[in-house]
Amino acid sequence: MTADNIAQRVNVSPNGSQYNAASLNNRPGILHWFQRQKALAIKAFIVTVILSTVTIVWNMYAVLHDNNHNTYHLFDNLVQLLLPNNKNSPAVKATDNGNINLKRCIDIPVPTYYWNLNSDSTSPFATVDQSDFVYVGDTVCVRVVVPITPPSSSRVFAPFPNTPWDSIIIEFSGNNTGISVPVDLRPISDVRNTQRDSTHIYEADVSLREADIYYLRGYIEFKNAEWNPDSLEIPPVLSPIKLDMPSYGVNVMDHTDINYNPYSLLRYLKLPFCKEMDVDGRWVLVTDLPFDPSLVPLPDNYNRVWLPYTCQIRRISYDKLTKALNNKQRPIHWFGDSNTRRALKKITTLGKWCSSSKDQASIKCMCEDQGEKFPIYNTAASQTILNVNATHGGHKVTGKYRPQNIPKDNIRIISLRVGGLTNNSKFLWQNHFASNLTKRFGHPSTIILSLTNWDAAFTSLSYFANQLDMLMERINDTYDSSAEIIVRTGQYFCCHTDTSSVHRRYSRLRNRAFDNYLIGAIRLRLGRKYNIHVWDVARISERRPYEARKESISCNANHARSEIVEVENQVLFNYLSN
């Protein structure tokens, strides 16, 4: 219908008077209205044609593809489909940002016969569902099947709530880069996964963010919850169980447009600075860096540097750190164990502790520094006041002092030694709250809680939970809301059992369970009053290549070696400075 036809039909004014063609021409506002209606009619016709065409093509596509393939909701994404230059459009995603045939685990049915497998006829195995290739940032579905095992003496063990029966250490390893990507398996949602005498099936959607060919590798650490000797004094010895792996690798391709890859090392220095301490990352060889290595933290003993995927971690000098923190004019209250001792040795010596290649090969730097005579302060003291500046490093504060009077260009750290929340350490956490902490040491800007190492080693989770409730009550009563709380995880543990006379009850999943409980409880109980942040040092070590992680076998105390301590500190420094 033309504009003239419309004009002939609309011949009554709002007050009932008649219009003729001449009068229409004399009313430009009405004429413009008819012209707009004409344009809208043409646009409506074009959109109708497009919708009809796309619908026909879509129906043909549905016939040619089975229902298990990923599909896009046509009408929900109509605007994006009509804008092919939009990088967020499904059409672009399908061609430029991954393979349209990719599926997540939830979209892939579990074969029913898996549940009928038993260990007599089938070994535990892993599967990877993938296409011929994936793009950087895409995910692949990994599944692990552990066939039912005959009843044994292991029935004395049980997992914590919401934890798996089997402890499986598995990762993707880059064939060219050597980058390790841990596979964080979870039990699939099925009641049989909650039962002891059943086949157990686990899965994970794993994002691969570096171009390479990745191969799965790993093994079963413990079955039937033997990873959790919660009520035993002597833990079972780790005896790895073979896990059959796919022989093929996952080919991860980079994008032709480097600006489309947010994880590219070429874009790393354009990322925002890290403002959290629990972000994911990878360990990259120094020789693979396309920029000056001095811009990022020092490498580990395998010449690899820790680089988060989504933010930039800088190498923070101690001069910059002290200037940044001096502006707060308030101390840090640091509750911690021997791992804190090692961190403070680095800080108070301005990074010089265990910095030479000769020292780094020593026992104290690789594992145990307890017997070292440290000149700056008595590391065996229960409470120590430390002032640190960029010129002279750290020194112990003695004699009379004003708690809130921190010297210019200094930061003040109050070291409060604890053996976790256990009662078998001479450093009992309750002793620190026997007197008024804030009156004696000043109101802190930051409270660092470094726990779970002793707790996972020597106590049950229920005991830890009860002690943690009391600790949180003391914190709430002692500190005002202006302080922030940093929860430092325990050290990552893997690959062995402590067979020394101490018999620490460490295991990879057990240590993680204590960390998860600690973080969740503090956020729940104290999160409304305080800003809570997580300093995830376990994640940093867990992402190292397996060969590097195996070094812990020779360190029953499970201390991080000095190069890793420096990286952990740099993560903290970046947060405090940014």
Side-chain angles (χ1 to χ4, degrees), residues 80-311:
Q80 286 79 10
L81 285 168
L82 296 178
L83 298 172
N85 292 325
N86 185 345
K87 289 292 185 181
N88 293 321
S89 74
V92 174
K93 285 185 178 179
T95 57
D96 294 343
N97 192 29
N99 193 320
I100 196 171
N101 293 323
L102 288 177
K103 305 175 190 176
R104 301 182 71 84
C105 290
I106 195 172
D107 302 316
I108 306 171
V110 176
T112 55
Y113 75 88
Y114 279 4
W115 296 106
N116 299 322
L117 298 176
N118 63 76
S119 59
D120 292 334
S121 58
T122 307
S123 299
F125 62 91
T127 66
V128 179
D129 187 88
Q130 62 157 108
S131 302
D132 295 334
F133 67 89
V134 298
Y135 282 112
V136 165
D138 285 338
T139 61
V140 295
C141 175
V142 176
R143 284 204 175 113
V144 173
V145 179
V146 182
I148 186 172
T149 303
S152 65
S153 59
S154 64
R155 299 183 75 84
V156 301
F157 299 94
F160 294 130
N162 301 316
T163 61
W165 284 97
D166 309 294
S167 178
I168 305 167
I169 184 168
I170 186 171
E171 67 183 23
F172 277 111
S173 179
N175 190 56
N176 300 311
T177 62
I179 288 175
S180 173
V181 182
V183 177
D184 190 13
L185 294 169
R186 62 187 182 277
I188 69 169
S189 182
D190 191 289
V191 67
R192 286 167 287 193
N193 265 333
T194 67
Q195 300 168 352
R196 181 191 302 271
D197 299 324
S198 172
T199 291
H200 299 136
I201 303 176
Y202 307 93
E203 66 184 13
D205 291 305
V206 185
S207 177
L208 299 171
R209 291 175 276 196
E210 300 284 342
D212 205 339
I213 300 176
Y214 291 85
Y215 291 90
L216 268 184
R217 60 179 184 174
Y219 55 87
I220 297 177
E221 296 175 299
F222 297 100
K223 295 171 69 174
N224 297 318
E226 289 187 4
W227 59 266
N228 184 30
D230 200 46
S231 58
L232 302 180
E233 293 185 0
I234 300 177
V237 176
L238 172 65
S239 180
I241 301 170
K242 181 183 177 182
L243 188 61
D244 291 340
M245 297 290 186
S247 59
Y248 53 86
V250 177
N251 185 12
V252 181
M253 299 178 62
D254 209 343
H255 301 279
T256 54
D257 182 0
I258 196 65
N259 293 320
Y260 199 39
N261 177 7
Y263 312 113
S264 171
L265 292 175
L266 295 174
R267 298 187 62 191
Y268 185 74
L269 297 181
K270 297 180 181 179
L271 292 174
F273 295 135
C274 293
K275 295 185 178 181
E276 292 298 339
M277 299 170 285
D278 58 350
V279 294
D280 201 5
R282 73 288 208 194
W283 287 88
V284 179
L285 283 169
V286 170
T287 53
D288 290 342
L289 296 179
F291 49 79
D292 185 353
S294 67
L295 297 174
V296 295
L298 290 167
D300 68 357
N301 55 311
Y302 282 78
N303 203 33
R304 290 181 177 271
V305 294
W306 171 249
L307 301 179
Y309 285 114
T310 56
C311 63

Side-chain angles (χ1 to χ4, degrees), residues 516-528:
N516 289 342
Y517 185 87
L518 170 67
I519 295 168
I522 287 183
R523 281 176 170 164
L524 182 64
R525 174 65 179 84
L526 302 176
R528 291 187 178 182

Side-chain angles (χ1 to χ4, degrees), residues 82 114 147 153 159 227 241 340 356 408 433 492 499 520 525 564:
L82 296 178
Y114 279 4
S153 59
W227 59 266
I241 301 170
T340 294
S356 71
K408 183 180 179 181
F433 292 90
Y492 174 77
T499 56
R525 174 65 179 84
I564 305 302

Side-chain angles (χ1 to χ4, degrees), residues 2-35:
T2 66
D4 291 336
N5 296 138
I6 297 175
Q8 291 173 4
R9 292 199 177 190
V10 183
N11 60 1
V12 180
S13 70
N15 60 10
S17 61
Q18 298 292 318
Y19 289 121
N20 55 34
S23 66
L24 284 174
N25 291 332
N26 293 329
R27 292 180 176 267
I30 296 176
L31 180 60
H32 290 168
W33 181 85
F34 283 125
Q35 290 173 341

